[in-house]
Amino acid sequence: MLRRVENAFQRFFKGEGKYPKPKRRSKYRSWSYPPKDVRFEGNKVRLPGIGWCKFFSSRAFPDGFSTRTVTVRKKADGWYISVQLRDESVPATPTPDAAQTAIGVDLGIKKLASVSTGELIPNPQYGKKAQRRRQLLSRRASRKSKGSARRRKAYAALARLEQKVERQRTDYHWKVANQLVNLGECIIFEDLNIKGMMARCKPKVDPETGKYLKNGQAQKRGLNRVIADAAWGELKQKVKVVAAKSGVLVHEINPKYTSQECSCCGYVSPTNRDKEKFLCESCGWVADADVDAATVIRQRGLTELGINIPLPVVHGKVTLKEPVKDRGNHLGCQMSLRTLGWNGLNSAYSSGGESE
Ligand SMILES: [Zn+2]
């Protein structure tokens, strides 16, 4: 604990952090041991100052790894011990020139990830599914008298629910990360400003009365919740881990106008997009809006990396015979879509999603 406080103060003196705040005991849920202080033997561990303890060995230490820092942590359903491992045989950083295939990934809410190859990865929204139960447990807990054992237990039950949601999300993210890494040798993401996307709306003040007016924060709250539930940053982190293991390159690009740009001719307009459909007003390119965004992300990433890999043929994309030049004529757009059989195009995409 002293080491942590020391670290916090050193950071403050260097101007890297703010003045350390006093923290209550319950805030400290973990502590660490430096390398070589902790011994492991089978399902037993010797923690300095505590002695030998039994633990559930969830997986064996892989060969060739040395144990580093050991952290003991209290979680909602018990005590955990996490061990940092080090392997000297680190794989070389992949170079862009070696990549033969590249994919662009557009992260979203309805579909967690849309890949430029046409693959659509659904978003299970575990946090949203647990909302009803979360509400119930949180209400139960907050109504119990402060400082009571019942209140503590009720909050512990709520914490276990949150832990379950977190684990479901983590498990799914690892699966998606593996799936994405298998799709290409170079993965290109958008460098999303998630903090900025989730920022609170600016307060609106009535200049006459000085009272606060509605600023849309109430509506935004729901959106912020689903953004947090999707946890794009965590997914990207996991993709980077899996990619590093299999020598796949991960690159992030500026996400500006990726959803408005035509992947065929590069024309940018907010009216190019109509919800799930993408219809270029300049060249008449039709595609799934998210897949088009993923393609734009892929192209931008390849340009930044200075490599040129041709786009493989994607099934389900249809190009209009006659370009729709008339701006804002939505009726015209819809009619030309219908003549092409938009329903058939739609079903091609949804069947692609189901085959995941
Ligand atoms: Zn176009």
Side-chain angles (χ1 to χ4, degrees), residues 262 264-265 280 283 285:
C262 170
C264 189
C265 69
C280 180
C283 73
W285 170 256

Side-chain angles (χ1 to χ4, degrees), residues 311-338:
L311 193 69
V313 181
V314 178
H315 299 288
K317 278 190 181 174
V318 182
T319 314
L320 283 178
K321 275 173 190 162
E322 276 177 56
V324 185
K325 285 260 164 77
D326 194 0
R327 230 186 136 161
N329 187 355
H330 289 282
L331 189 69
C333 292
Q334 275 171 8
M335 279 176 68
S336 48
L337 278 172
R338 200 168 295 140

Side-chain angles (χ1 to χ4, degrees), residues 23 30 38 40 49 63 102-103 119 160 176 229 254-255 258 268 289 296 303 311 313 319 346:
K23 292 200 173 70
S30 69
V38 179
F40 290 91
D63 289 333
I103 55 163
E119 222 108 348
R160 281 196 299 277
V176 172
D229 195 12
N254 185 351
T258 45
V268 178
V296 172
T303 314
L311 193 69
V313 181
T319 314
N346 251 343

Side-chain angles (χ1 to χ4, degrees), residues 174-189:
W174 281 120
K175 285 170 182 164
V176 172
N178 275 291
Q179 200 179 344
L180 290 177
V181 169
N182 284 335
L183 284 172
E185 286 167 6
C186 177
I187 301 172
I188 295 144
F189 281 113

Side-chain angles (χ1 to χ4, degrees), residues 60-199:
F61 292 115
D63 289 333
F65 283 81
S66 55
T67 58
R68 305 295 298 165
T69 307
V70 173
T71 306
V72 181
R73 190 174 281 123
K74 193 185 183 191
K75 288 194 180 179
D77 65 342
W79 290 90
Y80 286 77
I81 182 161
S82 60
V83 185
Q84 248 180 55
L85 299 172
R86 188 156 74 186
D87 183 16
E88 303 300 336
S89 62
V90 184
T93 323
T95 53
D97 310 317
Q100 294 293 314
T101 52
I103 55 163
V105 182
D106 179 52
L107 299 169
I109 299 284
K110 263 185 130 179
K111 290 158 258 174
L112 183 62
S114 310
V115 190
S116 55
T117 53
E119 222 108 348
L120 303 173
I121 296 163
N123 181 10
Q125 300 207 357
Y126 294 112
K128 196 179 169 186
K129 278 174 192 161
Q131 184 55 24
R132 178 88 188 88
R133 181 110 188 108
R134 180 186 289 125
Q135 240 170 22
L136 185 84
L137 289 177
S138 130
R139 185 168 57 227
R140 266 186 205 165
S142 68
R143 285 186 179 169
K144 296 199 163 46
S145 55
K146 283 192 177 171
S148 70
R150 285 181 174 188
R151 189 183 171 98
R152 182 172 48 77
K153 284 176 189 169
Y155 272 113
L158 180 63
R160 281 196 299 277
L161 176 77
E162 298 295 1
Q163 190 187 30
K164 184 180 175 175
V165 171
E166 186 199 311
R167 284 174 173 176
Q168 285 175 316
R169 193 185 290 130
T170 308
D171 174 61
Y172 186 71
H173 277 174
W174 281 120
K175 285 170 182 164
V176 172
N178 275 291
Q179 200 179 344
L180 290 177
V181 169
N182 284 335
L183 284 172
E185 286 167 6
C186 177
I187 301 172
I188 295 144
F189 281 113
E190 303 165 278
D191 186 13
L192 296 169
N193 176 11
I194 298 164
K195 212 173 173 184
M197 287 169 86
M198 285 176 66

Side-chain angles (χ1 to χ4, degrees), residues 5 8-9 11-13 15-23:
V5 174
F9 271 102
R11 274 175 56 79
F12 167 68
F13 293 141
E16 289 170 2
K18 287 182 182 168
Y19 188 79
K21 281 184 214 158
K23 292 200 173 70

